[in-house]
Amino acid sequence: MTQDILYHRPALAERLSKLIMQVTVGSAASSGVFLAAPRRTGKSTFAREDLRPALEAAGAIVLYADLWKDLTKDPGEVIVEAIQEAVRRSEGFISRLAKASGMDKVNVGGLSFNLDKIGLGKGIDLTQALVALSDESKQMIVLIVDEAQHAITTDQGVAALFALKAARDELNSSKHHGLRIVCTGSNRDKLAMLRNSKDQAFFGASMVQFPTLDEDFIEWFCANLDLQHPLDPSQVFPLFQESGYRPELLGAAADAIRFDFALPDKDIPVRFAALVRAQADELNGNLKKVLHSLTPIQSAVIRVMSAKGEDYAPFEAATLALYGKAMEQAGLDVGELTVEVPGVQQALIALQEKKLVWKASRGIYAVDEQVIVELLRADGMLEGLG
Ligand SMILES: Nc1ncnc2c1ncn2[C@@H]1O[C@H](COP(=O)(O)OP(=O)(O)O)[C@@H](O)[C@H]1O
Ligand SMILES: [Mg+2]
């Protein structure tokens, strides 16, 4: 007997699927829908297990590109592969013709191509491939790009986004059956970079705060745990909140209890709470250690970046002055010494290597995770730097 070890959210999936597929007056859904929520809170699981089936049930062809699955691959290539794969899978004329010809070369309307030629700057572009898929299937196509912010870290990724924009504009014209692009991401600020400025591919797309797993999930979790002593959902939910809504922390604590044969049954709930808290503290503790081991200039740069958020401009005179202020606050006598651009550049590189800072291909920086900003703020390290 296999038990379903996932908690499903069909109502949410259906609501989102409507939002994505149906264009109503004033809706920006055809420009794209962005879903943001912190890491490890269940975005990919939901996209694959709930949203995808809901979109398919509503009549769409769904393509899924996970830009984090294989970090050695260029994000642009991952997007192209998802499209190649869909074309290859389609029962339609493209693969029929390919099989009939005994080669992967296909001739359509005077256009000769093979499947490997689908790509950026290759024989056949993404628009042509998606148009063929759309016309053949007469279905709407939904492309889910998971951890989409990763695309703007490489030139090929940026090119893929612009190719998708062109394809979207063509397929959403009345001649075809529509293309919707759904982007998920762990960081709202980074995702926002894909749509905030007019030269970005998804200008105007809707940003949706993706709901975290809720009390119903905790009910389900407690009901299915099968420990020697039941857990009370009303006590577990606050623990879940404390651990940043990450199901894995609860799962790991439950596992530790299952293997602790010396633990009296009645002590299970208290022990569970202690284990979850210890893990959450450990995660933050490691991050704090990294933050406390920064050089003065590195620390100044990440603090100013955290305080400034979207307005952060690393090399402006006013920002350089703020770095100086941050170093003085840390007890350093900067005196007449000014912070200079090369020093800041080096600090930014070091911070990227420590995975505290993230850089988009066009030289825009963001703090890697919101939790870093929160830790610094809680320690009073951002005061006077905004
Ligand atoms: N609906 C769910 N039911 C049970 N466990 C879940 C569910 N969603 C996520 N998880 C657990 O949380 C972990 C992180 O989920 P994931 O979807 O990878 O998060 P994200 O994509 O937001 O980083 C998964 O490995 C899984 O164990
Ligand atoms: Mg994910």
Side-chain angles (χ1 to χ4, degrees), residues 262-284:
L263 185 69
D265 291 353
K266 65 170 178 35
D267 294 347
I268 285 179
V270 172
R271 180 92 185 114
F272 181 82
L275 283 165
V276 173
R277 291 213 171 95
Q279 281 187 81
D281 287 350
E282 194 183 311
L283 282 180
N284 287 343

Side-chain angles (χ1 to χ4, degrees), residues 276-349:
V276 173
R277 291 213 171 95
Q279 281 187 81
D281 287 350
E282 194 183 311
L283 282 180
N284 287 343
N286 285 340
L287 193 52
K288 272 191 186 159
K289 259 186 224 148
V290 176
L291 288 171
H292 284 297
S293 64
L294 297 177
T295 66
I297 175 77
Q298 290 165 5
S299 167
V301 167
I302 189 135
R303 285 159 57 203
V304 171
M305 188 187 297
S306 298
K308 283 284 178 190
E310 266 186 60
D311 298 331
Y312 175 69
F315 308 117
E316 275 177 9
T319 317
L320 296 177
L322 277 178
Y323 299 142
K325 187 174 174 193
M327 286 164 76
E328 264 169 27
Q329 280 178 358
L332 252 94
D333 187 10
V334 184
E336 294 299 295
L337 248 163
T338 49
V339 178
E340 288 180 352
V341 170
V344 175
Q345 280 169 329
Q346 273 181 5
L348 284 166
I349 292 170

Side-chain angles (χ1 to χ4, degrees), residues 2 27 63 75 79 102 129 145 204 278 287-288 299 310 375 378 384:
T2 56
S27 155
L63 321 186
I79 292 173
V145 185
L287 193 52
K288 272 191 186 159
S299 167
E310 266 186 60
L375 281 181

Side-chain angles (χ1 to χ4, degrees), residues 5-7 38-45 217 247-248:
I5 53 158
L6 287 178
Y7 169 75
R39 271 185 205 178
R40 313 304 300 162
T41 56
K43 293 180 302 299
S44 300
T45 306
F217 165 71
E248 282 162 322

Side-chain angles (χ1 to χ4, degrees), residues 124-135:
I124 179 156
D125 63 29
L126 297 189
T127 304
Q128 288 169 304
L130 288 165
V131 161
L133 191 60
S134 171
D135 292 354

